[in-house]
């Protein structure tokens, strides 16, 4: 190795270099871990000592001698590496196809119609735009128990979230509502939760389900009542909220100093 490169070696790397020059062999096992005798060789050290490259089993130079399950780097092989640096590979430009098959509908379409999993146009996307919206609608129906509208107001819901290119939700269209509010003693279970639109979840707030039914229109009031009875096995009026006792403690010791 040239003197200019030897100056960059650390103390540990210099010690390993002396072992190689004294005739020791660097062994590389099938897991691509290097060692000299009982001493392990760090990947960065091995990278520098082999002329800034990783020698693998596919290497065709004389620097590699296969023996058993591993392969070896000898002093002679290291000199071969120094005299034969690896050729530079030219980066071939990636040529995108004009058409490809959608992974869902299996129809060959132009790459301009493909989007990412978050709905942004990308020729490397997996699904076409139409299949993306269909998957969004299927996801919403799965959350809404087969419906495509809000249970309380009937507002149509076609998607659950709006995504950013980084995969973060920037807008939400549905929320998880507790039929019997947690603040009134309702439990946080699957039988007491249901998805609805964001506006209805905010309007319902901490109201009991019986009071909330009076705020709904007739067709959705009956639908919500039936779903409540199926989940709870009782009528909404039978729910007995727990008494919330609030105690206020005021410390007046600091006022004694003024009197």
């Amino acid at each position: 190795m040239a003197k200019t490169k030897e100056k960059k070696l650390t103390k540990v790397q210099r010690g390993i270099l002396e072992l190689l020059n004294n005739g020791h062999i660097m062994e590389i096992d099938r897991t691509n871990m290097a060692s000299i005798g009982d001493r392990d060789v760090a990947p960065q050290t091995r990278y520098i000592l082999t002329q800034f490259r990783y020698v693998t089993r596919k290497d065709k130079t004389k620097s590699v001698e296969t023996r058993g399950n591993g392969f070896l780097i000898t002093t002679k092989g290291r000199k071969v590496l120094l005299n034969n640096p690896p050729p530079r590979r030219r980066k071939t430009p990636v040529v995108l196809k004009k058409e490809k098959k959608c992974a869902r509908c299996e129809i060959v379409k132009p790459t301009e119609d493909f989007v990412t999993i978050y709905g942004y146009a990308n020729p490397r996307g997996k699904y076409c735009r139409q299949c993306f919206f269909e998957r969004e609608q299927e996801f919403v129906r799965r959350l809404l128990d087969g419906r495509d509208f809000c249970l309380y107001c009937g507002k149509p819901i076609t998607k659950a979230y709006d995504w950013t290119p980084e995969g973060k939700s920037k807008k939400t269209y549905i929320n998880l509502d507790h039929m019997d509010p947690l603040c009134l003693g309702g439990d946080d279970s699957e039988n007491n939760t249901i998805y609805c639109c964001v506006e209805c979840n905010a309007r319902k707030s901490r109201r009991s389900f019986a009071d909330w039914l009076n705020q709904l229109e007739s067709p959705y009031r009956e639908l919500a009542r039936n779903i409540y009875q199926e989940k709870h096995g009782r009528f909404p009026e039978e729910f007995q909220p727990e008494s919330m006792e609030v105690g206020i403690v005021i410390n007046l010791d600091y006022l004694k100093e003024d009197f």
Side-chain angles (χ1 to χ4, degrees):
M1 187 175 289
K3 293 183 179 180
T4 56
K5 293 184 178 180
E6 288 184 0
K7 293 181 180 179
K8 298 181 181 179
L9 298 180
T10 62
K11 184 177 180 180
V12 176
Q13 293 170 355
R14 289 178 183 275
I16 295 176
L17 180 60
E18 292 179 0
L19 294 177
L20 285 176
N21 293 333
N22 293 333
H24 290 77
I25 297 176
M26 183 187 300
E27 299 184 5
I28 304 175
D29 57 9
R30 62 171 62 186
T31 60
N32 211 20
M33 300 299 294
S35 61
I36 298 179
D38 298 336
R39 186 172 184 178
D40 296 333
V41 180
Q44 183 66 16
T45 302
R46 173 185 161 200
Y47 177 73
I48 293 177
L49 295 180
T50 55
Q51 191 61 17
F52 301 100
R53 62 185 295 190
Y54 282 112
V55 180
T56 61
R57 190 183 293 273
K58 297 180 181 179
D59 199 296
K60 302 299 181 181
T61 62
K62 297 180 181 179
S63 59
V64 177
E65 298 178 4
T66 59
R67 182 182 300 178
N69 294 329
F71 45 100
L72 315 174
I73 298 178
T74 60
T75 307
K76 180 181 178 181
R78 184 174 169 278
K79 293 180 180 179
V80 174
L81 289 174
L82 295 176
N83 297 328
N84 299 290
R88 294 183 178 180
R89 297 182 180 179
R90 295 182 179 180
K91 295 183 179 180
T92 57
V94 179
V95 180
L96 297 177
K97 298 180 180 179
K98 295 183 179 180
E99 295 180 346
K100 68 176 185 178
K101 184 186 295 186
C102 176
R104 188 174 185 273
C105 62
E106 297 183 353
I107 299 176
V108 179
K109 297 182 179 181
T111 54
E112 299 175 356
D113 296 342
F114 284 80
V115 296
T116 62
I117 58 175
Y118 304 115
Y120 291 88
N122 191 338
R124 292 186 174 90
K126 187 177 181 181
Y127 303 103
C128 62
R129 194 178 303 275
Q130 181 179 357
C131 290
F132 170 78
F133 290 119
E134 291 178 357
R135 291 178 71 250
E136 287 286 311
Q137 293 176 359
E138 291 177 359
F139 176 68
V140 170
R141 292 193 189 99
R142 199 180 308 120
L143 295 179
L144 298 178
D145 298 333
R147 299 181 303 274
D148 56 354
F149 58 90
C150 177
L151 171 68
Y152 298 143
C153 64
K155 176 182 177 181
I157 302 176
T158 57
K159 56 182 178 179
Y161 309 101
D162 275 343
W163 301 97
T164 61
E166 293 78 16
K168 298 180 180 179
S169 59
K170 60 181 180 180
K171 187 176 181 180
T172 305
Y173 294 94
I174 59 175
N175 278 349
L176 185 65
D177 176 55
H178 292 82
M179 295 183 175
D180 295 332
L182 298 178
C183 61
L184 298 181
D187 55 345
D188 188 11
S189 63
E190 185 178 357
N191 294 332
N192 191 38
T193 55
I194 195 169
Y195 281 94
C196 64
C197 67
V198 179
E199 293 78 7
C200 288
N201 189 22
R203 285 171 50 202
K204 182 176 178 294
S205 186
R206 300 182 178 182
R207 298 179 182 177
S208 63
F209 201 78
D211 296 339
W212 171 242
L213 289 177
N214 298 329
Q215 305 293 329
L216 304 181
E217 298 180 0
S218 57
Y220 306 110
R221 185 188 307 121
E222 297 176 358
L223 178 61
R225 178 184 290 273
N226 294 334
I227 293 178
Y228 183 92
Q229 294 177 4
E230 292 178 1
K231 285 180 170 290
H232 293 79
R234 52 179 168 81
F235 295 101
E237 292 78 10
E238 297 178 1
F239 173 70
Q240 297 180 358
E242 296 180 358
S243 59
M244 305 294 291
E245 297 181 358
V246 180
I248 301 177
V249 179
I250 302 177
N251 188 5
L252 301 178
D253 293 340
Y254 70 95
L255 296 177
K256 296 180 181 179
E257 299 178 357
D258 299 336
F259 296 97

